[in-house]
């Protein structure tokens, strides 16, 4: 359960962020009703029929076959920041790259790179011995970037965790020709050579999709928690050589894309300010607890740069990495590094003497750090092509799509409205109701008591998502919707289904069109 802050009312608790209420006597949610249950604790009795309390404390998987840190020569381990969550690691004579998003948008058209990647980024990718991709979100799994790479090195080894939703679930449909994707189990060392190994761990909050990684070279560990909300359930190695994590916040449509009720501009601004401060304090506390030698905030360098998303850009305030680093330095002796594209950290030098002028080599003077232009055209052209697709000449696509999606038996009615750039109804666009209790499509809202949401979506993005059977993260995290709900309740089952649990295979539109014909 998400417990931002819990208040006890008799035998129920309420989450102040999502407004869920949980009856702790039954462990069932009463608001919204009939949604889902908390996992029930297993009760064991001792020999005298008394209650037996057990604390499970399994061994840390990274402690298997432990290795003592060995001497590192200057230049033997170097970490170069490329953009967002992408790092290029030189580890002896091997090179490893994390999460390459280096061209194009993420989340349909909502996110664009803040930093200008080094001009040799493609050469760096082609020279890598292996690539780690943490999860399926498109600011980490960037098909435009991987398409460029695949044209040069389709057989490059790529490693992902064995998540419930496969990281590359959409590879075939993407058209990207990659032939060497390796899915590895969690918590097991993967040996690269005699000096280098890595271990992928799952997230404790989103184990179905999110992962993090420990890379170890000659006994020196690098911990990358990426976007994990609670990496490995909160159990992580302490005193690693280098730790990197997200820090910025803002990776959600909530609350900027919501309106009505409490969602005034003042409320949203205060909420964002409070949430960013919480995130900053949490990251600082985590770093203080784990005591890495060096910490680097990354995976938060994106911007809502398309002109139509000016409102989001102005309101979706993100944390400043320097503010986090200053907070860390107040409470610990951890060395901090705010990366700039092309900057390289020499791990051996920094561990030996953090004041070494060659410990961090910044990009040359005059290097372009921040992007000031983005090539919107080719990517928006792909989205716009879906608007005129033959599928949408037939209103029966609505029933076909939501039947394929497979979500029902839930007392929620959603009004879907196709819109233009400004979220006004798109001329000739669809405006319809979906009743998820029986998966019907009524002309009016039913007379029974029910929850209601109104979702306005830009027509190019919603039709592209529908046509290709994509997850709704492109809509929600990409800021391509505007939402209202009555009552003001977060419907976890609904959003979790459309953001994570849609079928792996897209709708069979060819068969649909044959039947329409």
């Amino acid at each position: 359960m998400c417990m931002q802050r819990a208040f006890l009312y008799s035998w129920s608790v309420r989450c102040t962020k999502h407004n869920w209420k949980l009856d702790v006597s039954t462990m069932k949610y009463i608001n919204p009703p009939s949604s889902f249950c908390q996992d029930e604790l297993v009760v064991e009795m001792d020999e005298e029929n008394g209650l037996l309390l057990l604390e499970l404390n399994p061994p840390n998987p990274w402690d298997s076959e432990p290795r003592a840190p060995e001497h590192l020569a200057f230049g033997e381990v170097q970490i170069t920041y490329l953009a967002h969550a992408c790092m290029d690691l030189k580890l002896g004579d091997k090179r490893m790259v994390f999460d390459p998003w280096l061209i194009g948008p993420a989340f349909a058209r909502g996110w664009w790179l803040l930093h200008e990647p080094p001009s040799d980024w493609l050469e760096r990718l082609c020279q890598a011995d292996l690539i780690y991709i943490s999860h399926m979100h498109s600011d980490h799994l960037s098909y435009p970037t991987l398409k460029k790479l695949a044209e040069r090195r389709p057989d490059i080894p790529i490693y992902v965790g064995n998540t419930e939703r496969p990281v590359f679930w959409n590879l075939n449909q993407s058209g990207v020709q990659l032939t060497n994707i390796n899915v590895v189990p969690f918590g097991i060392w993967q040996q690269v050579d005699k000096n280098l190994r890595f271990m992928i761990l799952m997230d404790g909050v989103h184990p179905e999709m999110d992962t993090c990684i420990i890379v170890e070279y000659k006994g020196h560990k690098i911990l990358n928690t990426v976007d994990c909300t609670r990496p490995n359930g909160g159990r992580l190695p302490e005193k690693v050589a280098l730790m990197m994590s997200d820090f910025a916040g803002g990776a959600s449509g909530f609350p900027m894309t919501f309106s009505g009720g409490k969602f005034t501009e003042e409320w949203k601004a205060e909420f964002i300010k409070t949430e960013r401060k919480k995130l900053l304090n949490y990251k600082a506390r985590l770093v203080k607890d784990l005591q890495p030698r060096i910490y680097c905030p990354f995976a938060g360098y994106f911007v809502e740069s398309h002109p139509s998303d000016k409102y989001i850009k102005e309101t979706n305030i993100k944390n400043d990495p320097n503010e986090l680093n200053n907070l860390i330095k107040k409470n610990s002796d951890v060395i901090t590094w705010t990366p700039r594209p092309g900057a390289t950290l020499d791990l051996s030098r920094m561990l030996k003497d953090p004041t070494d002028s060659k410990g961090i080599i910044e990009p040359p003077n005059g290097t372009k750090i921040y992007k000031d232009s983005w090539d919107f055209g080719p990517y928006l052209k792909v989205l716009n092509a879906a608007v005129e697709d033959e599928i949408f000449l037939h209103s029966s696509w609505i029933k076909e799509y939501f039947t394929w999606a497979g979500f029902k038996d839930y007392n929620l009615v959603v009004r879907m409205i196709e819109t233009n750039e400004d979220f006004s109804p798109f001329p000739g666009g669809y405006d319809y109701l979906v009743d998820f209790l029986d998966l019907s499509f009524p002309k009016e809202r039913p007379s029974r008591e029910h929850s209601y949401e109104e979702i306005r979506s830009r027509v190019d993005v919603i039709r592209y998502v529908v046509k290709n059977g994509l997850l709704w993260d492109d809509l929600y995290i990409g800021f391509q919707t505007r939402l209202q709900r009555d009552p003001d309740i977060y419907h976890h089952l609904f959003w979790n289904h459309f953001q994570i649990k849609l079928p792996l295979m897209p709708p069979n539109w060819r068969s649909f069109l044959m039947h329409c014909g």
Side-chain angles (χ1 to χ4, degrees):
M1 186 180 73
C2 175
M3 295 295 290
Q4 299 295 319
R5 184 184 301 161
F7 294 100
L8 191 62
Y9 295 106
S10 181
W11 284 97
S12 69
V13 291
R14 176 173 67 87
C15 170
T16 57
K17 181 175 180 179
H18 299 108
N19 209 27
W20 294 337
K21 289 182 183 178
L22 172 71
D23 184 334
V24 296
S25 64
T26 63
M27 295 306 285
K28 293 183 178 180
Y29 284 91
I30 53 179
N31 183 24
S34 305
S35 56
F36 60 100
C37 297
Q38 285 293 107
D39 292 336
E40 185 175 346
L41 297 177
V42 176
V43 177
E44 293 191 18
M45 311 303 287
D46 62 19
E47 295 178 354
E48 299 178 357
N49 206 31
L51 183 62
L52 187 64
L53 298 179
L54 298 176
E55 180 181 2
L56 299 179
N57 191 23
N60 295 317
W62 54 85
D63 288 334
S64 64
E65 303 176 30
R67 295 180 179 177
E70 301 176 31
H71 171 74
L72 294 179
F74 290 165
E76 189 172 1
V77 176
Q78 295 179 324
I79 298 94
T80 301
Y81 170 72
L82 303 185
H84 190 57
C86 184
M87 291 284 191
D88 177 10
L89 285 71
K90 176 183 177 294
L91 303 152
D93 60 359
K94 299 293 184 183
R95 302 190 79 98
M96 184 176 190
V97 172
F98 295 155
D99 286 339
W101 171 34
L102 297 160
I103 55 169
F107 300 108
R109 45 177 281 191
W111 293 29
W112 302 81
L113 288 167
L114 176 68
H115 288 146
E116 186 72 50
S119 58
D120 65 345
W121 67 262
L122 185 54
E123 292 301 322
R124 287 176 175 273
L125 291 192
C126 290
Q127 291 168 9
D129 294 284
L130 65 158
I131 291 174
Y132 161 68
I133 294 182
S134 60
H135 62 292
M136 64 185 178
H137 282 165
S138 50
D139 59 320
H140 299 264
L141 171 60
S142 168
Y143 281 117
T145 303
L146 293 179
K147 183 178 180 182
K148 291 286 187 182
L149 174 60
E151 290 168 356
R152 300 264 297 268
R153 264 196 81 188
D155 61 344
I156 190 166
I158 297 178
Y159 290 85
V160 298
N162 188 20
T163 49
E164 178 184 343
R165 182 89 186 186
V167 174
F168 279 95
W169 69 273
N170 197 39
L171 177 64
N172 291 338
Q173 197 168 345
S174 75
V176 176
Q177 302 296 316
L178 292 169
T179 61
N180 194 359
I181 295 170
N182 303 271
V183 180
V184 301
F186 293 116
I188 305 287
W189 283 118
Q190 307 297 318
Q191 201 73 39
V192 179
D193 62 22
K194 67 176 183 177
N195 295 319
L196 175 62
R197 60 184 182 173
F198 68 90
M199 175 184 292
I200 298 178
L201 302 169
M202 70 169 64
D203 183 32
V205 174
H206 298 291
E208 70 283 350
M209 58 161 283
D210 247 337
T211 74
C212 58
I213 190 170
I214 303 169
V215 176
E216 186 180 81
Y217 178 80
K218 288 188 175 181
H220 298 270
K221 292 183 177 66
I222 297 172
L223 170 64
N224 176 10
T225 64
V226 206
D227 287 356
C228 288
T229 305
R230 189 168 172 77
N232 197 45
R235 293 169 51 236
L236 294 169
E238 299 178 5
K239 295 180 169 54
V240 299
L242 171 64
M243 173 183 173
M244 55 189 82
S245 78
D246 67 336
F247 70 97
S252 169
F254 187 89
M256 295 82 62
T257 61
F258 286 70
S259 62
K262 70 183 180 187
F263 294 105
T264 63
E265 294 306 311
E266 294 77 14
W267 186 93
K268 288 192 275 190
E270 186 60 31
F271 179 89
I272 291 169
K273 180 181 177 182
T274 301
E275 289 298 303
R276 299 298 180 269
K277 186 176 181 180
K278 280 192 216 173
L279 178 61
L280 213 62
N281 289 331
Y282 166 69
K283 294 296 179 180
R285 187 171 63 252
L286 183 62
V287 171
K288 182 181 179 182
D289 291 343
L290 295 179
Q291 286 294 301
R293 292 289 303 279
I294 306 165
Y295 171 75
C296 172
F298 84 145
Y301 302 108
F302 70 94
V303 61
E304 306 86 347
S305 60
H306 192 274
S308 66
D309 289 323
K310 180 182 177 183
Y311 167 77
I312 299 295
K313 182 180 179 181
E314 292 174 347
T315 57
N316 190 24
I317 307 301
K318 303 170 190 70
N319 285 328
D320 181 340
N322 292 312
E323 185 179 354
L324 173 58
N325 285 342
N326 289 335
L327 187 59
I328 289 169
K329 286 185 281 191
K330 281 183 181 179
N331 300 313
S332 70
D333 296 325
V334 174
I335 304 160
T336 60
W337 175 37
T338 301
R340 302 201 302 164
T344 297
L345 182 146
D346 186 319
L347 191 61
S348 178
R349 287 184 180 274
M350 291 298 290
L351 294 178
K352 183 176 181 180
D353 179 7
T355 65
D356 187 336
S357 61
K358 296 181 180 179
I360 297 175
I361 304 299
E362 295 290 350
N365 289 334
T367 299
K368 188 175 182 181
I369 302 301
Y370 296 100
K371 293 183 74 70
D372 54 17
S373 63
W374 296 264
D375 192 10
F376 298 129
Y379 304 102
L380 268 63
K381 183 178 180 180
V382 172
L383 296 174
N384 286 328
V387 176
E388 303 299 328
D389 195 280
E390 184 182 357
I391 297 164
F392 303 104
L393 297 175
H394 310 276
S395 61
S396 54
W397 73 262
I398 298 170
K399 181 178 180 181
E400 182 76 13
Y401 173 75
F402 284 99
T403 301
W404 164 84
F407 183 75
K408 60 180 180 178
D409 299 323
Y410 187 77
N411 190 19
L412 173 67
V413 176
V414 174
R415 182 182 179 189
M416 302 286 295
I417 304 172
E418 294 184 327
T419 75
N420 61 17
E421 294 286 281
D422 299 323
F423 296 99
S424 299
F426 180 71
Y430 289 94
D431 181 339
Y432 56 94
L433 293 170
V434 184
D435 186 341
F436 287 102
L437 186 61
D438 58 1
L439 200 55
S440 60
F441 306 90
K443 298 296 183 183
E444 298 178 351
R445 289 176 59 177
S447 58
R448 72 173 192 277
E449 185 175 340
H450 61 275
S451 294
Y452 175 76
E453 290 204 20
E454 180 180 290
I455 304 176
R456 294 173 175 258
S457 305
R458 286 176 173 151
V459 65
D460 57 339
V461 180
I462 185 63
R463 292 194 181 184
Y464 184 79
V465 166
V466 166
K467 176 186 174 183
N468 294 288
L470 300 179
L471 300 171
W472 283 22
D473 283 336
D474 283 346
L475 295 164
Y476 186 69
I477 302 179
F479 315 115
Q480 301 303 302
T481 62
R482 295 295 183 266
L483 300 104
Q484 292 185 341
R485 57 194 188 190
D486 180 26
D488 179 23
I489 295 171
Y490 174 64
H491 292 277
H492 170 82
L493 285 186
F494 171 76
W495 284 104
N496 189 60
H497 185 90
F498 282 91
Q499 288 184 281
I500 294 178
K501 294 188 175 182
L502 287 176
L504 296 179
M505 296 298 295
N508 189 343
W509 294 118
R510 179 178 296 180
S511 174
F512 167 77
L513 290 174
M514 288 177 60
H515 284 93
C516 289

